[in-house]
């Protein structure tokens, strides 16, 4: 608890999946959180769940400490803002709203992302542009909006959600890995650029994590159950990851516990990418 006390964090794509888990974890650790999400309804629902969870947790704490006798519990500081990360003005608006509501941004998590899995030569121009607009431009738009304030104040932590596709290739998944390789390049370049101003820029590379994105991928296979089993069989731990397991790493990188970690990428894949073959 309170590893992010007093910090203001903005998480893109926080309506569901990994982004929602990060928003929950950050709020639990005392941060004010802004959920910058294309689908405002999911963001508002997640915001309400966070508020309820934080009030419950605080009530529990005051119960056990014998403090307020469990009559209240303090409110979470949480805000949902409709944001399209492909549009720089939309991301700037979300950062401005965060500042207006809670004060200057300490942490940015560029999490919003989409799977665009194509065969290279049959892929349309639109598929290519859609992938890069969200998965790479979206990350840059977030950095571009958050960095000036962080650089001016001489502190900040940016966490980009990359992927094991950032350094491994699965045939038929083009051009998603190209964009995710770019996320690592962007992370390293900005991490070096702003290190002298005490802004750290890092990435997390999740492996298979159980979210709607993954379930959609299985569902689109000819035999979804067999596709799910094949995925599990590939995993050294014989299971895939949970969103909260990515969130724990995001808390660490966002917090003051990682002051000398910069321009790095932490892999969260249960060891899958270290495996040569079974
Ligand atoms: N799930 C996995 O196995 C996995 C593995 C590696 C990396 N990742 C990455 O993690 C991130 C989150 O993935 P997830 O599995 O939670 O996905 P998800 O589809 O469950 O959630 C993504 C969220 O991003 C939002 N979003 C999409 N486009 C947006 C836009 N233009 N602007 C703002 N928000 C937008 C969606 O509405 C959704 O709420 C992505 O960057 C993804 O590439 C996921």
């Amino acid at each position: 608890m309170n590893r992010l006390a007093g910090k203001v964090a903005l998480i893109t794509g926080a309506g569901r999946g990994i982004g929602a888990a990060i928003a929950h974890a950050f709020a639990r650790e005392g941060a004010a959180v802004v959920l910058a999400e294309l689908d405002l309804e999911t963001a508002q629902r997640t915001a309400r769940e966070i508020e309820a969870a934080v009030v419950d947790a605080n009530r529990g704490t005051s119960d056990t400490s014998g403090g307020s006798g469990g009559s209240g519990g303090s409110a979470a500081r949480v805000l949902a803002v409709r944001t399209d990360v492909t549009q720089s003005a939309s991301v700037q608006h979300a950062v401005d709203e965060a500042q207006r509501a809670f004060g200057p941004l300490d942490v940015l998590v560029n999490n919003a992302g989409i799977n665009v899995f194509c065969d290279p030569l049959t892929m349309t121009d639109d598929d290519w542009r859609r992938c890069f607009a969200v998965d790479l431009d979206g990350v840059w738009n977030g950095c571009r909006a958050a960095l000036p304030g962080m650089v001016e104040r001489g502190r900040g932590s940016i966490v980009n959600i990359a992927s094991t596709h950032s350094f491994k290739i699965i045939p038929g998944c083009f051009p998603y890995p190209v964009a995710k390789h770019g996320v690592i390049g962007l992370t390293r370049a900005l991490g070096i650029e702003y290190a002298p101003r005490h802004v750290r820029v890092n990435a997390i590379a999740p492996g298979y994590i159980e979210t709607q994105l993954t379930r959609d991928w299985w569902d689109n296979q000819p035999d979804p159950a067999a596709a799910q089993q094949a995925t599990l069989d590939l995993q050294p731990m014989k299971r895939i990851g949970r969103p909260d397991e990515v969130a724990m790493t995001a808390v660490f990188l966002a917090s003051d516990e990682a002051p000398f970690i910069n321009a790095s990428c932490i892999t969260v894949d249960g060891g899958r990418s270290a495996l040569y073959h079974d």
Side-chain angles (χ1 to χ4, degrees):
M1 287 283 276
N2 291 330
R3 292 158 72 202
L4 300 176
K7 294 195 191 292
V8 177
L10 183 145
I11 303 123
T12 68
R16 70 180 200 188
I18 293 170
I22 292 173
H24 269 279
F26 279 18
R28 242 184 345 258
E29 295 295 344
V33 290
V34 178
L35 284 61
E37 165 65 59
L38 190 61
D39 180 346
L40 184 59
E41 220 172 280
T42 63
Q44 288 171 332
R45 192 179 60 228
T46 301
R48 286 194 296 274
E49 288 166 2
I50 290 172
E51 275 163 1
V54 168
V55 168
D56 269 3
N58 289 343
R59 188 179 286 136
T61 307
S62 57
D63 277 352
T64 47
S65 66
S68 67
S71 58
S74 49
R77 297 191 301 154
V78 54
L79 177 72
V81 182
R82 190 191 177 279
T83 308
D84 181 352
V85 298
T86 69
Q87 305 298 315
S88 56
S90 177
V91 183
Q92 185 63 56
H93 171 73
V95 170
D96 293 345
E97 287 296 295
Q99 162 126 2
R100 223 185 320 277
F102 303 126
L105 207 60
D106 301 291
V107 180
L108 166 70
V109 182
N110 286 304
N111 163 79
I114 55 170
N115 278 353
V116 182
F117 290 167
C118 302
D119 163 76
L121 294 183
T122 55
M123 175 190 71
T124 64
D125 289 350
D126 183 55
D127 287 331
W128 173 271
R129 277 192 293 268
R130 197 163 50 87
C131 181
F132 278 82
V134 181
D135 292 338
L136 187 55
D137 295 2
V139 178
W140 167 238
N141 288 337
C143 294
R144 179 72 187 81
L147 274 167
M150 291 180 172
V151 167
E152 191 188 321
R153 287 187 306 284
R155 65 167 201 274
S157 173
I158 295 178
V159 180
N160 296 325
I161 305 302
S163 170
T164 43
H165 288 258
S166 294
F167 38 83
K168 298 279 180 180
I169 302 294
I170 304 174
C173 294
F174 193 83
Y176 178 79
V178 186
K180 288 294 188 181
H181 274 63
V183 171
I184 299 293
L186 183 62
T187 301
R188 289 161 61 89
L190 295 178
I192 296 306
E193 202 73 49
Y194 296 104
R197 307 303 298 271
H198 312 292
V199 178
R200 296 180 295 109
V201 186
N202 291 293
I204 297 174
Y208 279 98
I209 305 297
E210 187 157 4
T211 68
Q212 194 57 47
L213 199 75
T214 310
R215 286 188 285 274
D216 288 346
W217 186 78
W218 287 327
D219 288 345
N220 285 330
Q221 302 306 304
D223 182 346
Q228 179 168 1
Q229 192 54 52
T231 305
L232 298 181
D233 290 344
L234 287 171
Q235 308 302 314
M237 294 188 181
K238 300 302 169 204
R239 70 170 179 90
I240 64 169
R242 298 189 313 266
D244 64 288
E245 292 173 322
V246 180
M248 291 174 201
T249 306
V251 167
F252 170 64
L253 286 174
S255 76
D256 298 333
E257 296 163 13
F260 205 52
I261 301 183
N262 181 41
S264 266
C265 177
I266 298 181
T267 300
V268 180
D269 73 345
R272 167 62 213 170
S273 57
L275 181 67
Y276 186 36
H277 60 71
D278 293 319

